[in-house]
Amino acid sequence: MAWALTPLTEEQRSIQAVAREFAATEIAPHTEEWDRESYFDPAIVGKLGELGFLGMMIPEQYDGLGVDTLTYLVALEEIATVDASIAVTLSVHNSLPTQMLLKWGTEAQKERFLKPMARGELLGAFALSEPDAGSDAASLTTQAVRDGNDWILNGTKAWVSSGTKGEVILAMARTDSPEDRRGARGISAFIVTPDLPGFSVGKKEDKMGLRASPTVQLHFSDMRVPGDRLLGQAGSGFIYAMQSLDNGRLGIAAQAVGIAEAALRHSAAYAAERKQFGKPIKEFQAIQFKLADMASRGAASRALLHAAATAKDRGEHITQFSSMAKLLASETAMWVTTQAVQIFGGYGYVKDYPVERLFRDAKVTEIYEGTSEIQRIVIARELYSR
Ligand code: COS
C-alpha cells in the first residue's frame, strides 16, 4: 500500500528497506509492551546508532551517514509506521541538537559532542519550552548570568523529549539582563550535559500517547556551564532554535505520515476480514469511501513532505514549506486515525488492536514542535515576508 510518489534513488530505497526491516524485527515485537509500560529502551537507541541512524544527515567527516533530508525522512516514516515513540526519539536527535551543533558548533564542540552523537553513543535533546513559555517561545525566562568564564543558569525547561536519557541537551536561556530585555534577541543556546552541577531531571510526564518516549522537565539550579558550552553567538539562540525547528517540523511530519500509513494498512486489512451483514465490511461503500479518503489524504501529506525535503536539499528557504508539511501531515494523521478507530468500531476503542495506540500517538503531532495554530501563523506570515 506504500504510496510511490517520489522516485527514490537506489541508495534511498536501500536505506528505506533497512529501516523497514529493522522496525519489523527489532521494534514491532515490543511496541505494544513499551507503550503499555511507558518504557524507553536504551538498547534500541544503541542498535539504531550501529545502523548510522543517529547521524543520518551528519557528514561522514563527523562520523555520520551523510545522507540527504529525503533519505532521512523516508527512513523515519518506516520507523514511525511501527513505533511513533522511537520515531520521535530519532527525529529530535537528527533534526535538532545534531543539526545545531553541525551548523553553529566550533570544531572542538563537534569533536566532543557531535561525533559521538553521530555514532549513536550520546543521545541528543532540545530544550526550548518552559512551563509558561510554549507557543510564545521567546518569552522564556531561564536566565544565564556570566561568572568569570562560566555561565550560571537558573530555570526550568518543559516538554523535553528524550530528557531522561538526553546526554547532550541544546538548551535556550536568556543572556540579556532583567534591566535590558531584548526579546528574542536576548536568548542564547547552550550545550548542557547531565553531569553539570545544578542539573536535575524533574517531573516525567504521564502522557496520552508516545508513551515509550520519555518527556520530562529539566531543572537548572545555579547550574555552572563552562564558557565553551555557548553555541555560536550570544543572543542568536532563538534564531538557531527557529531555524532548527524548520528541520524538526519535517521530522514530525514524517512521523505523522508513518502513523497515518499504519492506520490505513490496519484498517484495510481489518475491513477485508471483518464480516457484518454476511459480507466483509470492505464491500460496503461507507467503508470504501473512508479508506479512499484516508489513502488520498495520506498520499497528499507524503507528497508535500517529500517536496519540502527536496526543496531543503536544494538549499531553498523552507520555513513555510516545512510548516505546511507538518500542518497537513499532523492533521491528516489525526483524521486518518479517527477514521481507523471508527472502522474498527468497538475493537478500535480497546487495546487489542493497534489503532487505539495510533489514535493516541497521532494527537501530539498537532501540538509539539509548534501547534497547528502556530504553523498557520508561520504560513500566513511567510505570505507577506517574501
Ligand atoms: N528561521 C530563522 N529565523 C527566524 C525564524 C525561522 N524559521 N522564525 C523566526 N525567526 C527570527 C525572526 O526573523 C526574528 O529575527 P530578528 O530579531 O532578526 O527580527 C526573530 O527570530 C524573532 O522572530 P519573531 O518576531 O517572528 O518571534 P515571535 O515571538 O513572534 O515568535 C513564532 C514566532 C510564534 C513563530 C515562534 O515563537 C514559534 O515558532 N513558536 C512555537 C515554538 C515551538 O514550536 N515550540 C515547540 C518546541 S519543541 S516542544
Side-chain angles (χ1 to χ4, degrees):
M1 201 166 310
W3 306 303
L5 299 164
T6 319
L8 298 179
T9 63
E10 205 168 309
E11 188 201 24
Q12 286 166 338
R13 274 202 308 276
S14 106
I15 291 179
Q16 183 185 42
V18 170
R20 186 178 300 151
E21 171 72 13
F22 182 84
T25 54
E26 301 283 343
I27 302 177
H30 310 287
T31 300
E32 193 191 321
E33 183 197 339
W34 291 343
D35 173 64
R36 191 175 59 244
E37 306 296 333
S38 196
Y39 177 69
F40 175 82
D41 184 25
I44 277 292
V45 175
K47 289 178 189 173
L48 285 163
E50 283 165 26
L51 291 177
F53 280 17
L54 293 180
M56 293 199 82
M57 293 179 291
I58 303 301
E60 288 172 18
Q61 136 190 40
Y62 297 113
D63 295 347
L65 216 50
V67 299
D68 62 14
T69 311
L70 181 60
T71 312
Y72 156 61
L73 294 174
V74 294
L76 194 54
E77 284 169 21
E78 292 296 332
I79 305 287
T81 302
V82 168
D83 193 318
S85 293
I86 305 294
V88 73
T89 306
L90 273 177
S91 176
V92 168
H93 178 95
N94 279 291
S95 302
L96 300 170
T98 51
Q99 289 301 309
M100 290 177 84
L101 282 161
L102 178 66
K103 228 165 168 181
W104 298 291
T106 62
E107 282 308 311
Q109 289 169 340
K110 287 177 185 165
E111 193 63 38
R112 177 153 177 212
F113 300 108
L114 182 60
K115 280 187 168 183
M117 289 170 87
R119 293 193 295 267
E121 294 159 17
L122 296 175
L123 188 62
F126 176 80
L128 173 66
S129 301
E130 297 182 355
D132 294 319
S135 290
D136 185 6
S139 70
L140 64 86
T141 59
T142 292
Q143 185 71 51
V145 176
R146 264 279 187 204
D147 184 34
N149 281 335
D150 299 342
W151 294 88
I152 306 295
L153 268 65
N154 278 289
T156 295
K157 307 309 286 185
W159 312 112
V160 184
S161 300
S162 309
T164 49
K165 306 289 164 191
E167 287 131 338
V168 182
I169 302 144
L170 270 289
M172 270 43 77
R174 307 212 71 85
T175 43
D176 54 2
S177 66
E179 300 75 41
D180 180 24
R181 284 294 184 220
R182 297 180 175 204
R185 285 289 178 174
I187 294 170
S188 302
F190 292 90
I191 306 165
V192 169
T193 48
D195 59 331
L196 293 175
F199 174 96
S200 62
V201 176
K203 179 182 173 220
K204 182 182 173 208
E205 305 296 346
D206 187 6
K207 294 177 299 181
M208 170 193 288
L210 288 197
R211 294 185 58 78
S213 155
T215 303
V216 295
Q217 288 193 350
L218 299 177
H219 299 300
F220 304 156
S221 175
D222 287 331
M223 182 173 72
R224 185 169 286 277
V225 180
D228 62 4
R229 298 287 191 91
L230 177 72
L231 185 83
Q233 299 294 318
S236 294
F238 186 78
I239 315 272
Y240 299 163
M242 289 299 118
Q243 278 194 31
S244 305
L245 283 168
D246 288 348
N247 298 329
R249 287 167 184 164
L250 296 180
I252 302 308
Q255 180 197 33
V257 164
I259 294 171
E261 166 84 24
L264 173 63
R265 282 186 203 162
H266 288 299
S267 301
Y270 182 79
E273 275 168 24
R274 170 76 170 167
K275 288 198 175 109
Q276 289 293 281
F277 305 102
K279 52 185 177 183
I281 60 170
K282 77 173 172 60
E283 305 293 329
F284 295 102
Q285 227 175 32
I287 301 295
Q288 289 168 5
F289 283 8
K290 278 196 198 307
L291 291 170
D293 288 347
M294 290 160 78
S296 304
R297 294 194 192 191
S301 300
R302 178 170 278 159
L304 183 60
L305 172 62
H306 290 192
T310 47
K312 175 170 177 280
D313 288 332
R314 285 194 301 269
E316 291 174 20
H317 174 84
I318 55 142
T319 299
Q320 187 186 46
F321 223 160
S322 158
S323 283
M324 284 176 172
K326 191 211 180 239
L327 175 65
L328 182 65
S330 59
E331 294 196 344
T332 294
M334 196 64 240
W335 187 83
V336 167
T337 55
T338 304
Q339 303 315 308
V341 169
Q342 195 67 21
I343 289 170
F344 276 73
Y347 293 109
Y349 199 62
V350 294
K351 294 183 188 294
D352 299 11
Y353 290 90
V355 292
E356 182 266 351
R357 172 177 48 79
L358 293 168
F359 176 88
R360 288 185 285 109
D361 285 350
K363 183 60 206 171
V364 77
T365 65
E366 294 182 318
I367 298 172
Y368 64 7
E369 297 204 16
T371 60
S372 292
E373 292 72 16
I374 288 293
Q375 307 313 326
R376 288 185 166 90
I377 287 169
V378 171
I379 294 163
R381 277 188 185 182
E382 288 281 315
L383 294 175
Y384 297 100
S385 71
R386 301 164 92 10

